[in-house]
Coordinates of all heavy atoms in Angstrom, one line a residue:
M27 N 56.1 153.0 21.7 CA 55.4 153.7 22.9 C 54.7 152.7 23.7 O 54.8 152.8 24.9 CB 54.4 154.8 22.4 CG 54.0 155.7 23.5 SD 55.6 156.6 24.1 CE 54.8 157.6 25.3
K28 N 54.0 151.8 23.1 CA 53.3 150.7 23.9 C 54.2 149.8 24.7 O 54.0 149.5 25.7 CB 52.4 149.9 23.0 CG 51.3 150.5 22.4 CD 50.4 149.6 21.5 CE 49.2 150.2 20.9 NZ 48.5 149.3 20.0
L29 N 55.5 149.6 24.0 CA 56.4 148.8 24.8 C 56.9 149.5 26.0 O 57.0 148.9 27.0 CB 57.6 148.5 23.9 CG 58.8 147.7 24.4 CD1 58.1 146.3 24.9 CD2 59.9 147.5 23.5
I30 N 57.1 150.8 26.0 CA 57.5 151.6 27.1 C 56.4 151.4 28.2 O 56.7 151.2 29.4 CB 57.8 153.0 26.7 CG1 59.1 153.1 25.8 CG2 58.0 153.9 28.0 CD1 59.2 154.5 25.1
A31 N 55.2 151.5 27.9 CA 54.1 151.4 28.8 C 54.0 150.1 29.3 O 53.8 150.0 30.6 CB 52.7 151.9 28.2
A32 N 54.2 149.1 28.6 CA 54.2 147.8 29.0 C 55.3 147.5 30.0 O 55.2 146.8 31.0 CB 54.2 146.8 27.8
V33 N 56.5 148.0 29.7 CA 57.6 147.7 30.5 C 57.5 148.5 31.8 O 57.9 148.0 32.9 CB 59.0 148.1 29.8 CG1 60.2 148.0 30.8 CG2 59.2 147.2 28.6
A34 N 56.9 149.6 31.8 CA 56.7 150.4 33.0 C 55.7 149.6 33.9 O 55.9 149.5 35.1 CB 56.1 151.7 32.7
L35 N 54.7 149.1 33.3 CA 53.7 148.2 34.1 C 54.4 147.0 34.6 O 54.2 146.6 35.7 CB 52.6 147.8 33.1 CG 51.5 146.8 33.8 CD1 50.9 147.5 35.0 CD2 50.5 146.4 32.7
L36 N 55.2 146.4 33.8 CA 56.1 145.3 34.2 C 56.9 145.6 35.4 O 57.0 144.8 36.4 CB 56.9 144.8 33.0 CG 58.0 143.8 33.4 CD1 57.4 142.5 33.8 CD2 59.0 143.6 32.3
T37 N 57.6 146.7 35.3 CA 58.4 147.2 36.5 C 57.6 147.3 37.8 O 58.1 146.8 38.8 CB 59.0 148.5 36.2 OG1 59.7 148.4 35.0 CG2 60.0 149.0 37.2
L38 N 56.4 147.8 37.7 CA 55.6 147.9 38.9 C 55.1 146.6 39.4 O 55.1 146.3 40.6 CB 54.4 148.9 38.7 CG 54.8 150.4 38.3 CD1 53.6 151.2 38.0 CD2 55.6 151.0 39.5
S39 N 54.7 145.7 38.4 CA 54.1 144.5 38.8 C 55.2 143.4 39.2 O 54.9 142.5 39.9 CB 53.3 143.9 37.6 OG 52.4 144.8 37.1
A40 N 56.4 143.6 38.7 CA 57.4 142.6 39.0 C 58.1 142.8 40.3 O 58.9 141.9 40.7 CB 58.4 142.6 37.8
T41 N 57.9 143.8 40.9 CA 58.7 144.2 42.1 C 58.6 143.1 43.2 O 59.6 142.8 43.8 CB 58.2 145.5 42.7 OG1 58.3 146.5 41.7 CG2 59.0 146.0 43.9
P42 N 57.4 142.5 43.5 CA 57.4 141.4 44.5 C 58.2 140.3 44.0 O 58.9 139.6 44.8 CB 55.9 141.1 44.6 CG 55.2 142.3 44.1 CD 56.0 143.0 43.1
V43 N 58.3 139.9 42.7 CA 59.0 138.8 42.3 C 60.5 139.1 42.4 O 61.3 138.3 42.8 CB 58.8 138.5 40.8 CG1 59.6 137.5 40.2 CG2 57.3 138.1 40.6
L44 N 60.9 140.3 42.1 CA 62.3 140.6 42.1 C 62.7 140.8 43.6 O 64.0 140.8 43.9 CB 62.6 142.0 41.3 CG 62.2 141.9 39.8 CD1 62.4 143.2 39.2 CD2 63.1 140.7 39.2
A45 N 61.9 141.0 44.5 CA 62.3 141.3 45.9 C 62.3 140.0 46.8 O 62.5 140.1 48.0 CB 61.2 142.3 46.5
Q46 N 62.4 138.9 46.1 CA 62.4 137.6 46.9 C 63.7 137.6 47.6 O 64.7 138.0 47.0 CB 62.2 136.5 46.0 CG 60.8 136.4 45.4 CD 60.8 135.1 44.4 OE1 61.7 134.5 44.2 NE2 59.5 134.8 43.9
T47 N 63.8 136.9 48.7 CA 65.1 136.9 49.5 C 65.8 135.6 49.1 O 65.2 134.6 48.8 CB 64.9 136.9 51.0 OG1 63.9 135.9 51.4 CG2 64.1 138.3 51.4
M48 N 67.1 135.7 49.4 CA 68.0 134.6 49.1 C 67.9 133.7 50.4 O 67.8 134.2 51.5 CB 69.4 135.0 48.7 CG 69.4 135.8 47.5 SD 69.0 134.9 46.0 CE 70.3 133.8 46.0
P49 N 68.3 132.4 50.2 CA 68.4 131.6 51.4 C 69.5 132.1 52.3 O 70.5 132.7 51.9 CB 68.7 130.2 50.9 CG 68.8 130.3 49.4 CD 68.5 131.7 49.1
A50 N 69.3 131.8 53.7 CA 70.3 132.3 54.6 C 71.7 131.8 54.4 O 72.7 132.3 54.7 CB 69.8 132.1 56.1
T51 N 71.7 130.4 54.1 CA 73.0 129.8 53.9 C 73.1 129.3 52.4 O 72.2 128.8 51.8 CB 73.1 128.5 54.8 OG1 72.0 127.7 54.5 CG2 73.1 128.9 56.2
P52 N 74.2 129.6 51.8 CA 74.4 129.1 50.5 C 74.4 127.7 50.3 O 74.8 127.0 51.2 CB 75.7 129.9 50.0 CG 76.4 130.1 51.2 CD 75.4 130.3 52.4
T53 N 73.9 127.1 49.2 CA 73.9 125.7 49.0 C 75.1 125.4 48.1 O 75.4 126.1 47.2 CB 72.5 125.3 48.4 OG1 72.4 126.0 47.1 CG2 71.3 125.6 49.3
A54 N 75.6 124.2 48.3 CA 76.7 123.7 47.5 C 76.2 123.3 46.2 O 75.1 122.8 46.1 CB 77.4 122.6 48.2
P55 N 76.9 123.5 45.1 CA 76.5 123.1 43.8 C 76.5 121.5 43.7 O 77.2 120.9 44.5 CB 77.6 123.6 42.8 CG 78.7 123.9 43.8 CD 78.2 124.2 45.1
A56 N 75.6 121.0 42.9 CA 75.5 119.5 42.8 C 76.8 119.0 42.2 O 77.3 119.6 41.2 CB 74.2 119.2 42.0
P57 N 77.2 117.9 42.7 CA 78.4 117.3 42.0 C 78.1 116.9 40.6 O 77.0 116.6 40.2 CB 78.6 116.1 42.9 CG 77.4 115.7 43.6 CD 76.6 117.0 43.7
A58 N 79.2 117.0 39.8 CA 79.1 116.7 38.3 C 78.9 115.3 38.1 O 79.5 114.4 38.9 CB 80.4 117.2 37.6
T59 N 78.1 114.9 37.2 CA 77.8 113.5 36.9 C 79.0 113.1 36.1 O 79.4 113.7 35.1 CB 76.5 113.4 36.1 OG1 75.4 114.1 36.7 CG2 76.2 112.0 35.8
P60 N 79.5 111.9 36.4 CA 80.6 111.4 35.6 C 80.2 111.2 34.1 O 79.2 110.8 33.7 CB 80.9 110.0 36.2 CG 80.4 110.1 37.6 CD 79.3 111.0 37.5
G61 N 81.1 111.6 33.2 CA 80.8 111.6 31.8 C 80.0 112.8 31.3 O 79.9 112.9 30.2
A62 N 79.5 113.6 32.2 CA 78.7 114.8 31.7 C 79.7 115.8 31.2 O 80.7 116.1 31.8 CB 77.8 115.3 32.8
A63 N 79.3 116.6 30.2 CA 80.2 117.7 29.8 C 79.9 118.9 30.7 O 78.9 119.5 30.6 CB 79.8 118.1 28.4
A64 N 81.0 119.1 31.5 CA 80.9 120.1 32.6 C 80.9 121.5 31.9 O 80.4 122.5 32.4 CB 82.0 120.0 33.5
T65 N 81.5 121.6 30.7 CA 81.6 123.0 30.1 C 80.5 123.3 29.0 O 80.4 124.3 28.5 CB 82.9 123.1 29.4 OG1 83.0 122.0 28.4 CG2 84.0 123.0 30.4
A66 N 79.6 122.4 28.9 CA 78.4 122.5 27.8 C 77.5 123.6 28.4 O 77.0 123.5 29.5 CB 77.7 121.2 27.6
P67 N 77.3 124.6 27.6 CA 76.4 125.7 28.1 C 74.9 125.1 28.1 O 74.5 124.3 27.3 CB 76.6 126.8 27.1 CG 77.0 126.1 25.9 CD 77.9 124.9 26.4
A68 N 74.1 125.8 29.0 CA 72.7 125.3 29.1 C 72.0 125.8 27.8 O 72.3 126.8 27.2 CB 72.0 125.9 30.3
K69 N 71.0 124.9 27.4 CA 70.2 125.3 26.2 C 69.4 126.5 26.4 O 68.7 126.6 27.5 CB 69.4 124.1 25.9 CG 68.6 124.2 24.5 CD 69.5 124.1 23.3 CE 68.6 124.0 22.1 NZ 69.4 124.2 20.9
L70 N 69.5 127.5 25.6 CA 68.6 128.8 25.8 C 67.2 128.5 25.3 O 67.0 127.9 24.2 CB 69.3 129.9 25.1 CG 70.7 130.3 25.6 CD1 71.3 131.4 24.7 CD2 70.6 130.8 27.0
T71 N 66.2 128.9 26.0 CA 64.8 128.8 25.7 C 64.1 130.1 26.1 O 64.7 131.0 26.7 CB 64.1 127.7 26.5 OG1 64.0 128.0 28.0 CG2 65.0 126.3 26.4
V72 N 62.9 130.2 25.8 CA 62.0 131.3 26.1 C 61.8 131.4 27.6 O 61.3 132.4 28.1 CB 60.7 131.3 25.4 CG1 60.8 131.5 23.9 CG2 59.8 130.1 25.8
D73 N 62.3 130.5 28.4 CA 62.2 130.5 29.8 C 63.6 130.9 30.4 O 63.7 131.0 31.7 CB 61.7 129.1 30.5 CG 60.3 128.8 30.0 OD1 59.4 129.7 30.1 OD2 60.0 127.6 29.7
S74 N 64.5 131.1 29.6 CA 65.8 131.6 30.1 C 65.7 133.1 30.3 O 64.9 133.8 29.8 CB 66.9 131.3 29.1 OG 67.1 130.1 28.6
P75 N 66.4 133.6 31.3 CA 66.5 135.1 31.6 C 66.8 135.8 30.3 O 67.7 135.4 29.6 CB 67.4 135.3 32.7 CG 67.5 133.9 33.3 CD 67.4 132.9 32.3
I76 N 66.1 136.9 30.1 CA 66.3 137.7 28.8 C 67.8 138.2 28.7 O 68.4 138.1 27.7 CB 65.4 138.9 28.8 CG1 64.0 138.4 28.5 CG2 65.8 139.9 27.7 CD1 62.9 139.4 28.7
E77 N 68.4 138.5 29.9 CA 69.8 138.9 29.9 C 70.8 137.8 29.5 O 71.8 138.0 28.8 CB 70.2 139.4 31.2 CG 70.3 138.4 32.4 CD 70.6 139.0 33.8 OE1 71.3 140.0 33.8 OE2 70.0 138.5 34.7
Q78 N 70.4 136.5 29.7 CA 71.2 135.4 29.0 C 71.0 135.3 27.6 O 71.9 135.0 26.8 CB 70.8 134.1 29.7 CG 71.3 133.9 31.1 CD 70.9 132.6 31.7 OE1 70.4 131.7 31.1 NE2 71.2 132.4 33.0
L79 N 69.8 135.6 27.1 CA 69.6 135.5 25.7 C 70.4 136.7 25.0 O 71.0 136.4 23.9 CB 68.1 135.7 25.4 CG 67.2 134.7 25.9 CD1 65.7 134.9 25.6 CD2 67.5 133.3 25.4
V80 N 70.4 137.8 25.6 CA 71.1 138.9 25.0 C 72.6 138.8 25.1 O 73.2 139.3 24.1 CB 70.6 140.3 25.8 CG1 71.4 141.4 25.3 CG2 69.2 140.5 25.4
A81 N 73.1 138.1 26.0 CA 74.5 137.8 26.1 C 75.1 136.9 25.0 O 76.2 136.9 24.8 CB 74.8 137.3 27.6
N82 N 74.1 136.1 24.4 CA 74.6 135.2 23.3 C 74.2 135.8 22.1 O 73.0 136.1 21.7 CB 73.8 133.8 23.5 CG 74.1 132.8 22.4 OD1 73.9 133.1 21.2 ND2 74.5 131.6 22.9
P83 N 75.2 136.1 21.2 CA 74.9 136.8 19.9 C 73.8 136.2 19.1 O 73.0 136.8 18.5 CB 76.3 136.8 19.2 CG 77.3 136.5 20.3 CD 76.6 135.7 21.4
A84 N 73.9 134.8 19.0 CA 72.8 134.2 18.1 C 71.5 134.3 18.7 O 70.5 134.5 18.0 CB 73.2 132.7 17.9
A85 N 71.4 134.2 20.0 CA 70.1 134.2 20.7 C 69.6 135.7 20.7 O 68.4 135.9 20.5 CB 70.2 133.7 22.1
K86 N 70.5 136.7 20.8 CA 70.1 138.1 20.7 C 69.5 138.3 19.4 O 68.5 139.2 19.4 CB 71.4 138.9 21.0 CG 71.0 140.4 21.0 CD 72.3 141.3 21.3 CE 71.9 142.8 21.3 NZ 73.1 143.6 21.6
A87 N 70.1 137.8 18.3 CA 69.6 138.1 17.0 C 68.2 137.5 16.8 O 67.4 138.2 16.1 CB 70.5 137.5 15.9
V88 N 68.0 136.4 17.4 CA 66.6 135.8 17.4 C 65.6 136.7 18.2 O 64.5 137.1 17.7 CB 66.6 134.4 17.9 CG1 65.2 133.8 18.2 CG2 67.3 133.4 17.1
L89 N 66.0 137.1 19.4 CA 65.2 137.9 20.2 C 64.8 139.2 19.6 O 63.7 139.8 19.5 CB 65.8 138.2 21.5 CG 65.0 138.8 22.7 CD1 63.7 138.0 22.9 CD2 65.8 138.9 24.0
E90 N 66.0 139.9 19.0 CA 65.7 141.2 18.4 C 65.0 141.1 17.0 O 64.3 142.0 16.7 CB 67.2 141.9 18.0 CG 67.9 142.4 19.3 CD 67.3 143.7 19.9 OE1 66.6 144.4 19.1 OE2 67.5 144.0 21.0
G91 N 65.0 139.9 16.4 CA 64.2 139.8 15.2 C 62.8 139.7 15.6 O 61.9 140.2 14.8
A92 N 62.4 139.2 16.7 CA 61.0 139.1 17.1 C 60.5 140.4 17.8 O 59.4 140.8 17.6 CB 60.8 137.9 18.0
L93 N 61.4 141.0 18.5 CA 61.1 142.2 19.4 C 62.2 143.1 19.3 O 63.0 143.4 20.1 CB 60.9 141.8 20.8 CG 59.8 140.9 21.2 CD1 60.0 140.2 22.6 CD2 58.4 141.7 21.1
P94 N 62.2 144.0 18.0 CA 63.3 144.8 17.8 C 63.4 145.9 18.9 O 62.4 146.5 19.4 CB 62.8 145.6 16.5 CG 61.8 144.6 15.9 CD 61.2 143.9 17.1
G95 N 64.6 146.1 19.3 CA 64.9 147.2 20.3 C 64.8 146.6 21.8 O 65.1 147.4 22.8
I96 N 64.5 145.5 22.0 CA 64.4 145.0 23.4 C 65.6 145.1 24.2 O 65.7 145.5 25.4 CB 63.7 143.5 23.4 CG1 63.3 143.1 24.9 CG2 64.7 142.5 22.9 CD1 62.6 141.9 25.1
S97 N 66.7 144.8 23.6 CA 67.9 144.7 24.4 C 68.5 146.2 24.6 O 69.4 146.4 25.6 CB 69.1 144.0 23.7 OG 69.5 144.6 22.4
S98 N 68.0 147.2 24.0 CA 68.4 148.5 24.2 C 67.2 149.4 24.8 O 67.4 150.6 24.9 CB 68.9 149.2 22.9 OG 67.8 149.2 21.9
H99 N 66.2 148.8 25.3 CA 65.1 149.4 25.8 C 65.5 150.1 27.2 O 66.3 149.7 27.9 CB 64.0 148.4 26.2 CG 62.7 149.2 26.4 ND1 62.4 149.6 27.7 CD2 61.6 149.4 25.6 CE1 61.2 150.2 27.7 NE2 60.7 150.0 26.5
P100 N 65.0 151.4 27.2 CA 65.5 152.1 28.5 C 65.2 151.4 29.9 O 65.8 151.6 30.8 CB 64.6 153.4 28.5 CG 64.2 153.6 27.0 CD 64.1 152.1 26.5
S101 N 64.2 150.5 29.8 CA 63.9 149.8 31.2 C 64.4 148.4 31.1 O 63.9 147.6 31.9 CB 62.4 149.7 31.2 OG 61.8 151.0 31.4
F102 N 65.4 148.1 30.2 CA 65.9 146.7 30.2 C 66.3 146.2 31.5 O 66.1 145.1 31.9 CB 67.1 146.7 29.2 CG 67.7 145.4 29.0 CD1 67.1 144.4 28.2 CD2 68.9 145.1 29.6 CE1 67.6 143.1 28.0 CE2 69.5 143.8 29.4 CZ 68.9 142.9 28.6
D103 N 67.0 147.0 32.3 CA 67.5 146.6 33.6 C 66.4 146.1 34.6 O 66.5 145.3 35.5 CB 68.3 147.7 34.3 CG 69.6 147.8 33.7 OD1 70.1 146.9 33.0 OD2 70.3 148.9 34.0
S104 N 65.1 146.5 34.3 CA 64.0 146.2 35.1 C 63.4 144.9 34.8 O 62.7 144.2 35.6 CB 62.9 147.2 35.0 OG 63.3 148.5 35.3
F105 N 63.6 144.4 33.5 CA 63.0 143.1 33.2 C 64.1 142.1 32.7 O 63.7 141.0 32.4 CB 61.9 143.4 32.2 CG 62.3 143.9 30.8 CD1 63.0 143.2 29.9 CD2 62.2 145.3 30.6 CE1 63.2 143.8 28.6 CE2 62.5 145.8 29.4 CZ 63.1 145.1 28.4
K106 N 65.3 142.4 32.7 CA 66.3 141.5 32.1 C 66.5 140.2 32.8 O 66.8 139.2 32.3 CB 67.7 142.2 32.0 CG 68.4 142.5 33.3 CD 69.6 143.2 33.1 CE 70.4 143.5 34.5 NZ 71.6 144.2 34.3
A107 N 66.1 140.2 34.1 CA 66.3 138.9 34.9 C 65.0 138.0 34.7 O 65.1 136.9 35.1 CB 66.5 139.3 36.4
M108 N 64.0 138.5 34.1 CA 62.9 137.7 33.8 C 63.0 137.1 32.4 O 63.7 137.5 31.6 CB 61.6 138.5 33.9 CG 61.4 139.3 35.2 SD 60.1 140.5 35.1 CE 58.7 139.3 35.0
S109 N 62.3 136.0 32.3 CA 62.2 135.2 31.0 C 61.1 135.9 30.1 O 60.3 136.7 30.6 CB 61.8 133.7 31.2 OG 60.5 133.6 31.6
L110 N 61.2 135.6 28.8 CA 60.2 136.1 28.0 C 58.8 135.6 28.3 O 57.8 136.4 28.2 CB 60.5 135.7 26.5 CG 59.9 136.5 25.4 CD1 60.3 137.9 25.4 CD2 60.4 136.0 24.0
T111 N 58.6 134.5 28.7 CA 57.3 133.9 29.2 C 56.8 134.7 30.5 O 55.7 134.8 30.6 CB 57.3 132.4 29.4 OG1 58.3 132.0 30.3 CG2 57.5 131.7 28.1
Q112 N 57.8 135.1 31.3 CA 57.3 135.8 32.6 C 57.0 137.2 32.2 O 56.1 137.8 32.8 CB 58.5 135.9 33.6 CG 58.8 134.5 34.2 CD 60.0 134.6 35.0 OE1 61.1 135.1 34.7 NE2 60.0 133.9 36.2
V113 N 57.6 137.9 31.1 CA 57.3 139.2 30.8 C 55.9 139.3 30.1 O 55.2 140.3 30.1 CB 58.4 139.7 29.9 CG1 58.0 141.1 29.2 CG2 59.7 139.9 30.7
Q114 N 55.6 138.2 29.3 CA 54.4 138.2 28.4 C 53.2 138.7 29.1 O 52.5 139.6 28.6 CB 54.2 136.8 27.9 CG 53.0 136.8 26.9 CD 52.7 135.4 26.3 OE1 53.1 134.4 26.9 NE2 52.1 135.4 25.2
P115 N 52.8 138.3 30.3 CA 51.6 138.7 30.9 C 51.5 140.3 31.2 O 50.5 140.9 31.3 CB 51.4 137.9 32.2 CG 52.3 136.8 32.0 CD 53.4 137.2 31.1
Y116 N 52.8 140.9 31.3 CA 52.8 142.3 31.7 C 53.0 143.2 30.5 O 53.3 144.3 30.6 CB 54.0 142.5 32.6 CG 53.9 141.6 33.9 CD1 54.7 140.5 34.1 CD2 52.9 141.9 34.9 CE1 54.6 139.7 35.2 CE2 52.8 141.1 36.0 CZ 53.6 140.1 36.1 OH 53.5 139.2 37.2
S117 N 53.1 142.6 29.3 CA 53.5 143.3 28.0 C 52.4 144.1 27.4 O 52.6 144.6 26.4 CB 54.2 142.3 27.0 OG 53.3 141.4 26.6
G118 N 51.1 143.9 27.9 CA 50.1 144.6 27.3 C 49.7 144.1 25.9 O 49.3 144.9 25.1
G119 N 50.0 142.8 25.8 CA 49.7 142.2 24.4 C 50.8 142.3 23.4 O 50.7 141.9 22.2
L120 N 51.9 143.0 23.8 CA 53.0 143.2 22.8 C 53.8 141.9 22.6 O 54.4 141.6 21.5 CB 54.0 144.3 23.2 CG 53.3 145.7 23.2 CD1 54.3 146.8 23.8 CD2 52.9 146.0 21.8
V121 N 53.9 141.1 23.7 CA 54.6 139.8 23.5 C 53.5 138.7 23.4 O 52.9 138.3 24.4 CB 55.5 139.5 24.7 CG1 56.2 138.1 24.7 CG2 56.5 140.6 24.9
T122 N 53.2 138.4 22.2 CA 52.1 137.5 21.9 C 52.5 136.0 21.9 O 53.8 135.8 21.9 CB 51.5 137.8 20.4 OG1 52.6 137.5 19.5 CG2 51.1 139.3 20.3
D123 N 51.6 135.2 21.9 CA 52.0 133.8 21.8 C 52.8 133.4 20.5 O 53.7 132.6 20.5 CB 50.7 132.8 21.7 CG 50.0 132.9 23.1 OD1 50.6 133.1 24.2 OD2 48.8 132.5 23.1
E124 N 52.4 134.1 19.4 CA 53.1 133.9 18.2 C 54.6 134.3 18.3 O 55.4 133.7 17.7 CB 52.5 134.7 17.1 CG 51.1 134.1 16.7 CD 49.9 134.6 17.6 OE1 50.1 135.5 18.4 OE2 49.0 133.9 17.6
I125 N 54.9 135.5 19.0 CA 56.2 135.8 19.2 C 57.0 135.0 20.0 O 58.1 134.6 19.8 CB 56.3 137.3 19.8 CG1 55.9 138.4 18.8 CG2 57.7 137.6 20.3 CD1 55.8 139.7 19.3
I126 N 56.4 134.3 21.1 CA 56.9 133.4 22.0 C 57.3 132.2 21.1 O 58.5 131.6 21.2 CB 56.1 132.9 23.1 CG1 55.8 134.1 24.1 CG2 56.5 131.7 23.8 CD1 56.9 134.5 25.1
L127 N 56.4 131.7 20.2 CA 56.7 130.5 19.4 C 57.9 130.9 18.4 O 58.7 129.9 18.1 CB 55.5 130.1 18.6 CG 54.3 129.6 19.5 CD1 53.0 129.3 18.7 CD2 54.8 128.2 20.2
K128 N 57.9 132.0 17.8 CA 58.9 132.4 16.9 C 60.3 132.4 17.6 O 61.3 131.8 17.0 CB 58.6 133.8 16.3 CG 59.6 134.4 15.3 CD 59.3 135.7 14.8 CE 60.2 136.2 13.8 NZ 59.9 137.5 13.3
V129 N 60.4 132.9 18.7 CA 61.6 133.0 19.5 C 62.0 131.6 19.9 O 63.1 131.2 19.7 CB 61.5 133.9 20.7 CG1 62.7 133.8 21.6 CG2 61.3 135.3 20.3
A130 N 61.0 130.8 20.4 CA 61.3 129.4 20.7 C 61.9 128.6 19.6 O 62.9 127.9 19.7 CB 60.1 128.7 21.2
A131 N 61.3 128.7 18.3 CA 61.8 128.1 17.2 C 63.3 128.6 16.9 O 64.1 127.7 16.5 CB 60.9 128.2 16.1
G132 N 63.5 129.8 16.8 CA 64.8 130.4 16.6 C 65.8 129.9 17.6 O 67.0 129.5 17.2
L133 N 65.4 129.9 18.8 CA 66.5 129.4 19.9 C 66.7 127.9 19.7 O 67.8 127.4 20.0 CB 65.9 129.7 21.3 CG 65.7 131.2 21.7 CD1 65.2 131.3 23.0 CD2 67.1 131.9 21.7
A134 N 65.8 127.2 19.3 CA 65.9 125.7 19.1 C 66.9 125.4 18.1 O 67.6 124.4 18.1 CB 64.6 125.0 18.9
G135 N 67.0 126.3 17.1 CA 68.0 126.2 16.0 C 69.4 126.6 16.2 O 70.3 126.4 15.5
I136 N 69.6 127.1 17.5 CA 71.0 127.6 17.8 C 71.7 126.3 18.3 O 71.2 125.6 19.2 CB 71.0 128.6 18.9 CG1 70.3 129.9 18.4 CG2 72.4 129.0 19.4 CD1 70.0 131.0 19.3
K137 N 72.9 126.1 17.8 CA 73.8 125.0 18.2 C 74.7 125.3 19.3 O 75.2 126.4 19.4 CB 74.6 124.5 17.0 CG 73.8 124.1 15.8 CD 73.3 122.6 16.0 CE 72.4 122.2 14.8 NZ 71.7 121.2 14.8

């Protein structure tokens, strides 16, 4: 029940962040560095969007282990674009520093 209240608060508080406008002209992607692995996925961290964590089965298991039910929460769409560290201040104390550290350690172990 506390998670629902925290997410509701998050939804109200995050509106200005989510309402940011995109640049008028799209920017071209940076050219690939020679020798860089173009297909290597980015390392997932507690600063990655929650929806990216949930999209990766190993990262989802880590996240669900620390915060059971987060990926099926009724307000998931309201906070999925935010990172765990961005959600923390709006969680009403449910996302603690210890949970952040636990998730960070679990994500670091994913190959």
Side-chain angles (χ1 to χ4, degrees):
M27 191 66 176
K28 288 182 182 179
L29 182 58
I30 293 170
V33 173
L35 176 62
L36 167 68
T37 303
L38 295 174
S39 301
T41 303
V43 173
L44 299 175
Q46 294 177 355
T47 59
M48 298 296 294
T51 57
T53 57
T59 305
T65 59
K69 186 76 172 161
L70 296 172
T71 69
V72 294
D73 293 316
S74 301
I76 293 171
E77 64 188 330
Q78 286 182 5
L79 299 179
V80 171
N82 178 298
K86 180 179 179 179
V88 169
L89 188 60
E90 286 286 339
L93 293 164
I96 189 169
S97 64
S98 60
H99 193 278
S101 297
F102 180 76
D103 286 341
S104 298
F105 61 83
K106 69 182 182 182
M108 298 175 72
S109 71
L110 200 56
T111 54
Q112 289 173 321
V113 168
Q114 185 182 21
Y116 305 107
S117 71
L120 294 175
V121 179
T122 63
D123 288 340
E124 291 78 22
I125 288 175
I126 297 280
L127 291 173
K128 180 179 179 180
V129 172
L133 295 175
I136 296 174
K137 302 277 182 194

